[in-house]
């Protein structure tokens, strides 16, 4: 069982990565939604099996029917944490529900911004079930777990990856 499911659009990947690393360092496991690499059934299963589901709202993500579908499922299950990544005026009332406003955040690892999200995760998921790894261990864990982007690129590459840095 994954502690945290995180849904985001590819345009928001860098910010999602910083947030996921912070959540892992706090001791939670994180599953990144990887469009085109997983089935809708896999995504639904991850949401059902997670303790918390985070939706990262941005201009691109509110245009995504998949993001809306996943967020509504998480809301029905009582697991949804919504995070606004940028300022915009959403048309749909659903997107106006914001648990954590990071619209002034520029994507760095400043605790003042990350603490808001970490507190929301802890309140909804309860305490972490294991001690968080170091920063590099967090990155390795996130990028090397089954279904990760790192694994995907390894499978289509002709030579094995030497490090995560090759794909940045």
């Amino acid at each position: 069982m994954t502690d945290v499911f995180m849904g985001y659009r590819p345009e928001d990947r860098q910010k999602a990565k910083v947030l996921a690393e912070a959540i892992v360092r706090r001791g939670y496991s994180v599953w990144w939604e990887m469009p085109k690499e997983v089935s809708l059934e896999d995504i639904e299963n991850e949401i059902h099996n997670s303790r918390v589901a985070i939706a990262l709202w941005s201009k691109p993500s509110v245009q995504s029917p998949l993001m809306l579908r996943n967020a509504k499922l998480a809301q029905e299950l009582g697991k949804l944490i919504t995070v606004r990544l940028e300022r915009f005026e959403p048309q749909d009332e659903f997107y106006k529900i914001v648990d954590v406003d990071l619209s002034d955040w520029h994507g760095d690892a400043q605790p003042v911004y990350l603490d808001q999200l970490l507190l929301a995760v802890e309140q909804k998921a309860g305490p972490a079930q294991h001690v968080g790894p170091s920063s590099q261990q967090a990155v390795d864990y996130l990028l090397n777990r089954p279904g990760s982007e790192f694994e995907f690129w390894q499978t289509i590459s002709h030579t094995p990856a030497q490090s995560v840095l090759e794909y940045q």
Side-chain angles (χ1 to χ4, degrees), residues 3 12 23 31 42 56 61 64 71 78 98 109 117 149-150 152 163:
D3 295 319
D12 301 317
I23 293 167
W31 192 88
D42 291 336
L56 301 181
S61 69
S64 168
V98 177
L117 177 60
E149 182 174 313
F150 182 72
F152 169 75
S163 74

Side-chain angles (χ1 to χ4, degrees), residues 148-166:
S148 72
E149 182 174 313
F150 182 72
E151 182 179 84
F152 169 75
W153 287 110
Q154 277 186 311
T155 62
I156 64 169
S157 174
H158 294 293
T159 58
Q162 301 302 308
S163 74
V164 171
L165 298 177
E166 282 184 40

Side-chain angles (χ1 to χ4, degrees), residues 19-90:
L19 296 175
E21 288 172 358
I23 293 167
V24 169
R25 279 194 306 274
R26 187 60 65 98
Y28 297 95
S29 59
V30 179
W31 192 88
W32 294 45
E33 176 184 327
M34 295 287 174
K36 299 181 185 174
E37 294 181 35
V38 296
S39 71
L40 292 175
E41 184 179 333
D42 291 336
I43 293 170
E44 281 186 10
N45 287 338
E46 286 297 331
I47 294 170
H48 276 280
N49 294 327
S50 68
R51 295 164 66 191
V52 171
I54 297 172
L56 301 181
W57 292 145
S58 64
K59 291 174 189 172
S61 69
V62 299
Q63 303 301 317
S64 168
L66 180 61
M67 284 287 297
L68 178 60
R69 180 177 175 270
N70 294 341
K72 286 190 173 183
L73 172 60
Q75 183 183 45
E76 289 170 12
L77 297 170
K79 299 178 179 193
L80 182 63
I81 295 175
T82 57
V83 178
R84 182 175 300 182
L85 294 179
E86 60 186 332
R87 293 186 193 285
F88 62 94
E89 201 48 50

